[in-house]
Amino acid sequence: MVPPRPVVHAAVFALAALQALASDTFIAAVYEHAVILPRAAHKTVSPEDALALMNRNMDILEGAIREAAQQGARIIVTPEDGIYGWVFTREAIYPYLEDIPDPEVNWIPCTDPTRFAPAPVLERLSCMARNNSIYVVANIGDKKSCNSSDPSCPSDGRYQYNTNVVFDSEGKLVARYHKYNLFRQETQFNYPKEPEAVTFETPFGKFGIFTCFDILFREPAVVLVSELQVDTVLFPTAWMNVLPFLTAVEFHSAWAMGMRVNLLSANTHNIRMSMTGSGLFTPGGAAAYYYNSETEEGRLLVAELSARPRLSPTYPPAVNWSSYATSVKNFTEDNTFLGAVRRDIFTFSELKHEDGNYTVCQKDLCCHLTYRMSNKNNDEIYVLGAFDGLHGSVIKYHWQVCTLLKCRSTDLSTCGQPVETAQTKFDMFSLSGTFGTNYVFPEVLYSGVQLAPGEFEVLPDGRLESKNSTSKPLLTATLFGRCYEKDLKHPLRNSP
Ligand SMILES: *[C@@H]1O[C@H](CO)[C@@H](O)[C@H](O)[C@H]1NC(C)=O
Ligand SMILES: *[C@@H]1O[C@H](CO)[C@@H](O)[C@H](O)[C@H]1NC(C)=O
Ligand SMILES: *[C@@H]1O[C@H](CO)[C@@H](O)[C@H](O)[C@H]1NC(C)=O
Ligand SMILES: *[C@@H]1O[C@H](CO)[C@@H](O)[C@H](O)[C@H]1NC(C)=O
Ligand SMILES: *[C@@H]1O[C@H](CO)[C@@H](O)[C@H](O)[C@H]1NC(C)=O
Ligand SMILES: *[C@@H]1O[C@H](CO)[C@@H](O)[C@H](O)[C@H]1NC(C)=O
C-alpha cells in the first residue's frame, strides 16, 4: 500500500532533518592554564590584592579565549582553580569569592554590572564571552550567607562553594554548578547539600557540567549522561596525575569512551603538582590532547566534534562488558601473586612468554588476556592484574579493574608502581573481564604517557582489543570498572 503523499513528504523531511542533525559538528576549545598562584595562599589578602591576582590570570585566559574564537570555536573550557589557584584556608579564599546568582535571573553582567553586588570577575568573564561571541566556561568561588535559621550554617555565617559558571556568546550567565565531590584537601569549600544536575541547550547540542573529582562518582556525572542524555560534558579540573590508571588524559579519554559522550577537559598546568593533561575527548577516542610534564606552559587545544554524537554514524555500539568474559572457559591461571597499586592489593600473574593466554581472578572478577608481544625484552616485565574491592582511605568507593601493566622494574614487587616509559610493543592484545557493572572505562596508555587514538577498540561483547600492532611501547591497557552501588556512605558530606 502506498501512503498518501503528505506522509511521504513528512517522512522524507524528518529523515533529512535527522541527517542534517547527524552531520552537525561544532568547533570546541579547551585551555590548559599554568595558573599564577597567590604568593601565600594561607594568608588573607585584601579584596584589591585578590582581584589583582585574578586579573593576571584572566589576562592570560582572555588571550586564549580570543584565539579560540578566531579559530572558530563556539565554546571554550578553562580549568578548575584557573583564576586563583588552590590550597587556601577557608578564610584566605574569602576575598576571592563572589555571590553568583542562579542563572534563572537572566543576567548579562557585562551590560548590567550593577544589578547585584559588585562582581568584577563575573563581569569580566561575561565581557570576554560577549566580546568574542563564544561560550566561556570558568571555575570560581561562590559565597552564600546564612544564619542560625539554617541549622547547618557554618559558624562564620556563609557557605563557600567551588563553582563552575558558563556564559553564552552574548555574555549571559546560563549555568552555575557547585562541585559535589570535593577532593579531600578542599577544606576551603562546603559540600552542597544535594547534587546539582546542571544542563543547558545550545544550537550545537545539549551540555552538562561537573568538576574534577566528580568524574569518579555516580552523581552528578553518570546522571547527566545516562538519564539527562547530554551530548557534551564540560569538565574544568585541577587533576594530579596518578599512574598507572588515573593520569588525566588516560582516565578522562576512557570515561568519554565508556560513557559514549563528548568530554571537554581543561586541566591546570603545574608540573610540581603533577598537573597536566587536557583534551577534547569523544566516544571514539581523543580528538586532541595535551600532556607536558617538562615545561610550565599552557596550551590551547581546538577540535571539531559531533554536536550530537548519538546521531552520528560513527557512534559506537553499546557494550555488554561481561558478555565475552563470562562465556569463555578460564585460561590457565598460575603463579599468581599479590601486589600493591598504591594501597589497593591486586592479584597479578607475570606474562612469562612472548605470547599467551592468561586468566587472573579476584573475588567476583576474572580477567582474561590474550596477547602477543612484538619483542620480549628481558629488561621488562608485564603482568595481568585483577582488583575487586573498595578503593580510598577516607572516601571509600568500589573498583573492578582488569589490567595489562608494565612493572617498574624486573623485581615483581614493583608491579603497580608508577612507570612512565617502556620498550615493549605488542602485536596484539585482547583484554576482558567478568564485570558486575555497566560502567567500565577502557584505557590504553603508551610510553611517555601518550594516548593511542584509533589504535584500539571495544567490541560489543566487552573485549578491549588492539586493532593492529601498537605504534609505541605499551605502559598499560586497562578496563577500569566502577560499581557505584557498592560505594560506602560518604563520611564527610553534610557535616557542618
Ligand atoms: C570588550 O570590548 C569593548 C569594546 O570593544 C572593550 O572596551 C572592552 O575592554 C572589551 N572587554 C573585554 C573583556 O574584552
Ligand atoms: C536569616 O536568613 C534567612 C534566610 O536567608 C532570612 O530570611 C532571615 O531574614 C535571616 N535572619 C536574620 C536575623 O538575618
Ligand atoms: C551481558 O551478557 C551476559 C552474558 O552473555 C548476560 O548474562 C547478561 O544478561 C548481559 N547483560 C546485559 C545488561 O545485557
Ligand atoms: C574461573 O576461575 C574462577 C576463580 O577460580 C572461578 O570462580 C570460576 O568459576 C572459573 N570460571 C570458569 C568458567 O571455569
Ligand atoms: C591462545 O588461545 C588461542 C585461542 O583462544 C590459541 O589460538 C592460541 O594458540 C593460544 N596461545 C597460546 C600461546 O596458548
Ligand atoms: C598493521 O600493521 C602492519 C605492520 O605494521 C601493516 O603492514 C598493516 O598494514 C597494518 N594493518 C592495518 C589494518 O592497519
Side-chain angles (χ1 to χ4, degrees), residues 138-384:
N139 175 269
I140 55 178
D142 190 8
K143 59 179 178 190
K144 291 281 171 277
S145 56
C146 55
N147 60 38
S148 54
S149 73
D150 169 1
S152 46
C153 180
S155 57
D156 54 9
R158 57 183 188 251
Y159 292 102
Q160 303 186 162
Y161 297 116
N162 178 332
T163 309
N164 296 336
V165 287
V166 184
F167 297 92
D168 73 8
S169 50
E170 290 176 349
K172 185 168 86 176
L173 179 67
V174 293
R176 178 191 69 180
Y177 167 71
H178 297 133
K179 184 180 183 182
Y180 187 59
N181 296 283
L182 295 174
F183 198 60
R184 266 180 292 133
Q185 290 94 326
E186 278 185 283
T187 50
Q188 69 272 40
F189 292 121
N190 295 105
Y191 286 95
K193 290 183 180 125
E194 300 293 333
E196 301 168 356
V198 174
T199 66
F200 60 96
E201 296 276 357
T202 74
F204 43 96
K206 181 175 181 180
F207 285 76
I209 189 163
F210 56 78
T211 312
C212 204
F213 200 37
D214 281 333
I215 199 170
L216 280 157
F217 299 91
R218 201 184 93 81
E219 294 204 278
V222 172
V223 171
L224 287 173
V225 181
S226 300
E227 291 170 27
L228 300 174
Q229 302 270 307
V230 300
D231 298 300
T232 300
V233 170
L234 305 167
F235 183 57
T237 184
W239 191 277
M240 282 175 279
N241 290 320
V242 181
L243 283 162
F245 310 130
L246 290 175
T247 68
V249 291
E250 175 191 28
F251 185 65
H252 303 156
S253 63
W255 196 86
M257 291 182 87
M259 297 303 293
R260 298 191 299 153
V261 72
N262 292 330
L263 179 74
L264 307 184
S265 165
N267 202 356
T268 51
H269 187 88
N270 186 294
I271 293 171
R272 194 177 51 80
M273 298 281 292
S274 201
M275 289 172 174
T276 178
S278 303
L280 299 102
F281 303 121
T282 77
Y289 75 99
Y290 176 63
Y291 174 89
N292 169 6
S293 59
E294 306 290 319
T295 59
E296 288 294 358
E297 280 170 81
R299 173 69 67 88
L300 178 69
L301 298 173
V302 178
E304 188 167 2
L305 306 177
S306 172
R308 292 174 181 79
R310 286 182 189 81
L311 302 181
S312 152
T314 60
Y315 192 55
V319 175
N320 179 331
W321 292 100
S322 63
S323 176
Y324 177 80
T326 53
S327 70
V328 296
K329 278 206 248 134
N330 290 344
F331 299 130
T332 51
E333 177 173 25
D334 57 6
N335 296 318
T336 61
F337 62 98
L338 297 178
V341 181
R342 296 175 75 86
R343 291 187 194 157
D344 301 322
I345 305 304
F346 277 59
T347 305
F348 287 128
S349 188
E350 182 187 347
L351 308 183
K352 291 215 173 91
H353 308 288
E354 197 157 72
D355 62 351
N357 301 303
Y358 283 82
T359 295
V360 169
C361 300
Q362 185 177 100
K363 294 187 190 154
D364 292 339
L365 180 69
C366 283
C367 305
H368 307 305
L369 174 71
T370 297
Y371 72 94
R372 189 167 60 249
M373 297 172 186
S374 310
N375 54 311
K376 174 87 175 116
N377 185 328
N378 286 334
D379 300 335
E380 293 195 312
I381 286 183
Y382 284 81
V383 289
L384 172 65

